Amino acid sequence: MKYTAPKGCKDIYAEEANIFRFLEEKFINVCQLYNYSEIKTPIFENAELFLRSLGEETEVITKQMYLFKDKAERELALRPEGTAGVVRAYIESNLCKTVSKSKFFYSGQMFRYERPQSGRQRQFHQLGVEYFGEEDILADVEVINLAIDFIKNIGIKNFNLEINSVGCKVCQPKYRTVFKNFIEEKKDLTCDDCKERIEKNVLRILDCKQPQCKELIKTAPPLVNYLCENCSKKYKELKNYLTNLNISFKENYFLIRGLDYYTQTVFEITNNELGAQNAICGGGRYNNLVANLGGPKICGTGFALGVERLILILKSQGNIILVSPQVFVIALNSEAKNIALNILNDLRKNNLSAEFGFNASLKSLLKKANNLKVKYAVIIGEEEIKKEKVILKNMQNGEQKEVDRDLLIDEFQGNYIKEGRG
Ligand code: HAM
């Protein structure tokens, strides 16, 4: 039996793992600059939490949840996204009552039973933030600014920000009626799922990916024309602040997002280098979610970035992040192996990363050192053992010299300090 990773799940190792760590570290760094602190929530929650937050008629809930029962028959679900768990923790910890504003970031696996394709997996990773307790649209501006700061910081140049407002409890129902009337007239042109959505949750049709529905939606009345005074004001403020920050954006009047908890601001960041799955970031404001999950009436706003999609872009741009050892220690006989073991220990104690080469000819070990892209090789053969010396070879210019075994670390420190790497 040949074991493979479950469908839609990928092992991440070597170069990809380096990029992954690079992204996570950069994200933490940017979040800290904006005064966000980390939150880690369980990767599974009570299934009910997601049903209540994401919307019963969303694809994530109807088709994509990994549901299971534990031994005590509890209905659990692997988290399909991070917001619901963070909101639950925010309420459960009572932070919602004790701290007026809370800002969190997270990084972790999410699970959705989707048809795998490039940039779409069943287990994937998100980097996200949630900002609680700020009514001012400046909070939305801050999270968008943070996302863009991060995206630029990691070297992604081509991206587009799309924004929209999905209104609130006052204006959204009015638009729902207008949109329902529009779509009912054209019901025959919609896909089978959308025919059902007309009664269950008609606005979900705006998020349908079927070509015939997408065409139809283009001719629908835009939500932005039906926003109440307050939502309209906030949307204008958002656009003004973004313009002031020189953040270019495109208004997409039919952007509604795949989850039901959003109110007012919604946004997505896309990248043209990716194929069909081109959204690298999605987010928005959720004014009612905390209250809907049993907390006080506190608003929130946030986003999540898809790590696998970021990795695809960085790889396609040739942003390869190699982590090579600095020194390759070569032992040419069995006595040299013992000496090399101690040298390796000394190097690592002095913060120099080192790899060990043995049981092969000098030629092939030097070739290995080259492939590893190390800067230096330390060679120990019969002659060097007799003289209590080693050969230190600079792999970049080929120069080599004999160095006293006891002075090797000093030699390195000298070199590294000279090159600004000490
Ligand atoms: P979302 O748009 O569902 O939003 O996901 C955010 C990002 O996760 C997407 O833009 C995409 O890059 C990535 N993503 C989603 N599904 C997959 C998949 N199957 N495979 C690979 N990547 C994927 C949310 O999850 C919200 N919780 C964001 C948010 C936070 N809104 C407010 N706060």
Side-chain angles (χ1 to χ4, degrees):
M1 164 100 187
K2 192 172 169 233
Y3 293 105
T4 54
K7 190 172 176 189
C9 300
K10 267 184 75 186
D11 302 307
I12 299 170
Y13 52 89
E15 184 198 320
E16 250 181 45
N18 289 341
I19 301 180
F20 200 107
R21 185 153 304 284
F22 161 81
L23 290 174
E24 209 177 28
E25 280 170 7
K26 282 271 180 209
F27 188 66
I28 294 173
N29 182 248
V30 175
C31 287
Q32 285 171 343
L33 290 174
Y34 282 75
N35 192 32
Y36 285 67
S37 56
E38 186 163 13
I39 184 161
K40 289 181 188 288
T41 61
I43 60 165
F44 59 90
E45 298 271 359
N46 288 313
E48 178 67 21
L49 174 76
F50 299 115
L51 290 177
R52 274 201 72 92
S53 0
L54 312 187
E56 286 183 25
E57 290 308 318
T58 55
E59 293 235 309
V60 177
I61 293 297
T62 55
K63 297 186 180 157
Q64 300 171 355
M65 285 258 278
Y66 275 92
L67 291 161
F68 62 99
K69 281 188 180 166
D70 70 4
K71 288 185 182 165
E73 297 286 303
R74 293 180 192 93
E75 295 268 2
L76 301 168
L78 294 183
R79 61 181 182 194
E81 57 101 58
T83 312
V86 174
V87 172
R88 194 247 333 115
Y90 174 64
I91 300 169
E92 192 177 336
S93 64
N94 261 335
L95 279 172
C96 59
K97 294 190 182 137
T98 52
V99 185
S100 66
K101 280 193 233 172
S102 296
K103 308 207 285 188
F104 295 110
F105 72 85
Y106 52 89
S107 161
Q109 289 100 319
M110 308 293 157
F111 305 86
R112 295 184 192 174
Y113 192 84
E114 296 196 75
R115 202 165 39 79
Q117 62 181 88
S118 173
R120 187 165 72 191
Q121 290 173 211
R122 293 186 174 172
Q123 177 186 258
F124 60 101
H125 296 76
Q126 285 187 342
L127 298 168
V129 307
E130 310 297 346
Y131 181 165
F132 295 106
E134 183 50 75
E135 293 281 346
D136 199 303
I137 213 73
L138 274 174
D140 306 37
V141 176
E142 177 172 299
V143 299
I144 293 174
N145 200 19
L146 193 162
I148 289 182
D149 233 3
F150 168 72
I151 290 169
K152 283 186 180 162
N153 220 287
I154 57 173
I156 293 179
K157 287 168 206 88
N158 303 322
F159 59 87
N160 308 303
L161 167 68
E162 291 187 5
I163 60 164
N164 192 23
S165 172
V166 294
C168 64
K169 274 183 186 164
V170 178
C171 49
Q172 211 185 67
K174 288 187 191 147
Y175 177 69
R176 192 175 293 123
T177 312
V178 171
F179 183 69
K180 195 170 174 195
N181 290 340
F182 163 84
I183 212 81
E184 262 173 347
E185 275 179 22
K186 305 191 163 52
K187 191 174 173 176
D188 294 347
L189 302 174
T190 62
C191 71
D192 289 347
D193 281 347
C194 281
K195 287 190 178 75
E196 283 188 24
R197 287 178 183 132
I198 293 179
E199 288 315 318
K200 289 182 177 163
N201 187 348
V202 71
L203 292 185
R204 281 282 115 241
I205 296 176
L206 289 168
D207 193 45
C208 182
K209 303 289 180 289
Q210 294 299 324
Q212 72 266 39
C213 299
K214 279 171 108 174
E215 271 310 301
L216 198 57
I217 287 157
K218 283 185 193 159
T219 61
L223 204 160
V224 75
N225 291 353
Y226 297 86
L227 293 178
C228 65
E229 212 181 308
N230 182 38
C231 289
S232 182
K233 181 172 155 273
K234 300 239 169 191
Y235 186 51
K236 278 195 194 108
E237 282 174 10
L238 173 76
K239 290 189 284 181
N240 286 340
Y241 283 128
L242 292 177
T243 309
N244 174 56
L245 279 170
N246 279 329
I247 295 178
S248 15
F249 59 86
K250 195 177 140 229
E251 290 181 73
N252 175 350
Y253 295 144
F254 302 110
L255 177 67
I256 187 128
R257 310 261 308 117
L259 308 163
D260 271 356
Y261 49 63
Y262 294 107
T263 52
Q264 298 178 337
T265 311
V266 286
F267 65 94
E268 255 172 31
I269 302 175
T270 54
N271 172 277
N272 298 337
E273 283 158 61
L274 295 167
Q277 303 306 316
N278 66 352
I280 51 175
C281 177
R285 174 170 278 269
Y286 45 89
N287 284 342
N288 308 320
L289 184 57
V290 179
N292 285 350
L293 291 179
K297 205 183 154 359
I298 289 181
C299 56
T301 183
F303 68 76
L305 292 137
V307 178
E308 281 73 9
R309 295 184 191 178
L310 296 175
I311 294 179
L312 279 176
I313 302 171
L314 290 181
K315 279 174 94 175
S316 82
Q317 288 186 350
N319 288 26
I320 296 164
I321 295 156
L322 284 173
V323 180
S324 314
Q326 291 155 303
V327 189
F328 192 67
V329 180
I330 295 175
L332 293 175
N333 62 32
S334 50
E335 200 183 337
K337 284 183 188 169
N338 276 314
I339 298 166
L341 277 174
N342 286 301
I343 289 179
L344 283 156
N345 265 356
D346 286 345
L347 288 167
R348 292 171 185 146
K349 255 187 239 155
N350 283 280
N351 224 12
L352 291 159
S353 57
E355 178 58 283
F356 195 4
F358 50 86
N359 289 357
S361 69
L362 177 62
K363 193 173 163 206
S364 68
L365 288 169
L366 282 174
K367 198 168 161 201
K368 201 169 165 191
N370 251 330
N371 292 342
L372 280 173
K373 298 194 165 48
V374 294
K375 273 194 100 175
Y376 294 95
V378 171
I379 305 162
I380 314 156
E382 216 170 303
E383 275 301 298
E384 290 72 40
I385 298 171
K386 272 191 218 149
K387 293 196 256 175
E388 298 206 347
K389 291 190 185 272
V390 298
I391 292 172
L392 176 60
K393 186 177 172 81
N394 182 325
M395 296 300 291
Q396 275 166 353
N397 59 18
E399 280 172 17
Q400 61 179 56
K401 60 178 172 185
E402 264 189 358
V403 175
D404 279 354
R405 211 192 283 160
D406 294 345
L407 297 177
L408 181 66
I409 295 295
D410 295 349
E411 186 69 30
F412 269 114
Q413 284 177 339
N415 267 318
Y416 277 88
I417 287 161
K418 255 188 262 151
E419 291 164 19
R421 293 181 61 183

